[in-house]
Amino acid sequence: MRLLLTSDTHLPKRAKKLPEELLEQMELADVVVHAGDWVDLATLTLFTSRTQRLIGVYGNNDGPELRARLPEVARAELDGLRFGVVHETGPTRGRDQRCAQRFPDLDVLVFGHSHIPYDSTAPGGLRLLNPGSPTDRRRHPNCSYMTAVTEPGGLVEVVLHALPPRR
């Protein structure tokens, strides 16, 4: 199963539109995961119209309309793997241990908020993935997103994609 992982799109505040590469990857994915901070309802509508299956949560910058349509934490089983999605996980220091304690029933946790890509495995085996942001790189050199591939019972490939600078 092919997954697209993204977060912190922040439209239209941080960019006027999503990168074409992300839109193309969205249509190729079996499942799209968005870890919050959509900012406007139009972005959620765009994702829903272009994806086979969307798993999303709201973030700290998402208002009442988005919070009414999205959960704070989402869970799904994909190819036998237990996935979770949340926007914020707290400070970098202690993140792996804190998430392993908070989500002992998950195999993979996708999160956002920092706009900085992250790929780690916590004690006990929980895989933590932050795809960064496709529209706001903050302290990271590039805007980014991730793709992943699952096979029954396993996450076999995770790729961080750096996006070219906007013109």
Side-chain angles (χ1 to χ4, degrees):
M1 183 178 298
R2 184 171 165 73
L3 312 178
L4 169 68
L5 313 177
T6 192
S7 186
D8 297 282
T9 45
H10 288 278
L11 293 181
K13 294 181 179 188
R14 300 274 166 53
K16 300 289 183 224
K17 62 181 188 168
L18 293 172
E20 280 302 316
E21 181 178 328
L22 184 73
L23 295 172
E24 290 167 9
Q25 289 295 323
M26 203 182 298
E27 294 186 7
L28 297 173
D30 298 303
V31 178
V32 175
V33 177
H34 191 299
D37 274 2
W38 310 75
V39 180
D40 73 345
L41 196 54
T43 305
L44 175 58
T45 303
L46 172 69
F47 270 73
T48 340
S49 72
R50 288 183 171 237
T51 60
Q52 295 179 44
R53 180 176 180 191
L54 175 66
I55 302 168
V57 297
Y58 67 78
N60 61 301
N61 286 297
D62 294 328
E65 284 186 317
L66 286 160
R67 289 172 186 246
R69 298 202 34 205
L70 296 163
E72 181 179 10
V73 177
R75 295 170 187 268
E77 187 170 312
L78 305 172
D79 264 344
L81 290 171
R82 300 163 302 169
F83 275 78
V85 186
V86 67
H87 184 63
E88 294 186 59
T89 59
T92 304
R93 185 180 180 123
R95 174 181 289 137
D96 289 9
Q97 185 65 38
R98 190 172 50 253
C99 289
Q101 289 173 350
R102 182 176 173 196
F103 300 103
D105 58 329
L106 296 180
D107 299 307
V108 180
L109 178 66
V110 180
F111 67 97
H113 188 61
S114 69
H115 299 212
I116 298 171
Y118 189 81
D119 183 350
S120 180
T121 302
L126 174 65
R127 183 84 174 261
L128 293 111
L129 301 171
N130 183 332
S133 168
T135 59
D136 184 15
R137 63 183 182 83
R138 283 207 186 145
R139 297 180 313 272
H140 190 65
N142 298 90
C143 291
S144 61
Y145 67 94
M146 286 178 170
T147 55
V149 175
T150 64
E151 290 179 352
L155 189 61
V156 293
E157 180 181 296
V158 175
V159 178
L160 175 66
H161 299 268
L163 291 161
R166 287 193 305 255
R167 296 178 194 252

